[in-house]
Amino acid sequence: MPAYAIAHLWDVDVNAEIVEYLERIDGTLAPFGGKFLVHGNPQRRGEGPESAIAIVIEFPDYQAVNDWYDSAAYQEILPLRLNNCSSVATLAPFCGEDHVATDVLKEVVSSD
């Protein structure tokens, strides 16, 4: 099942470090089968900062997305992004074709 790296970035300072990050990130994705699904503008924000953008990268499975994020290659360039924007990043597995919103309630109840 696929898995995803999902990021929300805002107040991005597009400078030499961000350009370097963008020039290098594709090379970090390739060994783990990562590919961009959502990246760049135009995007409509329903909520949150006006400058916010969403990024979604798909991986073959949850292990691959975690291995990519923890890889030396990605960790080497990560500060280039972190130092030049505000962001939240999440690594998440695919929830399944038949998932409905109330399925998350089963997880809450079973953890009590």
Side-chain angles (χ1 to χ4, degrees):
M1 293 293 238
Y4 305 92
I6 305 156
H8 293 267
L9 280 55
W10 63 97
D11 298 333
V12 179
D13 181 8
V14 181
N15 58 37
E17 287 188 338
I18 289 293
V19 170
E20 181 181 350
Y21 176 86
L22 292 170
E23 290 173 343
R24 293 175 61 187
I25 190 170
D26 291 322
T28 72
L29 297 172
F32 302 97
K35 64 179 180 180
F36 285 99
L37 296 182
V38 175
H39 190 231
N41 287 316
Q43 294 184 10
R44 176 182 169 224
R45 262 113 0 249
E47 301 168 18
E50 184 57 33
S51 66
I53 60 167
I55 298 158
V56 180
I57 305 170
E58 182 178 62
F59 290 83
D61 55 45
Y62 194 53
Q63 185 66 52
V65 69
N66 282 283
D67 290 347
W68 163 75
Y69 190 85
D70 295 337
S71 71
Y74 187 65
Q75 289 298 308
E76 183 178 316
I77 67 168
L78 181 57
L80 299 172
R81 178 175 62 78
L82 293 177
N83 293 336
N84 293 289
C85 70
S86 297
S87 62
V88 174
T90 303
L91 309 179
F94 180 61
C95 61
E97 295 289 339
D98 299 325
H99 180 86
V100 295
T102 54
D103 287 347
V104 299
L105 297 175
K106 296 171 193 168
E107 296 170 18
V108 172
V109 170
S110 68
S111 68
D112 288 344

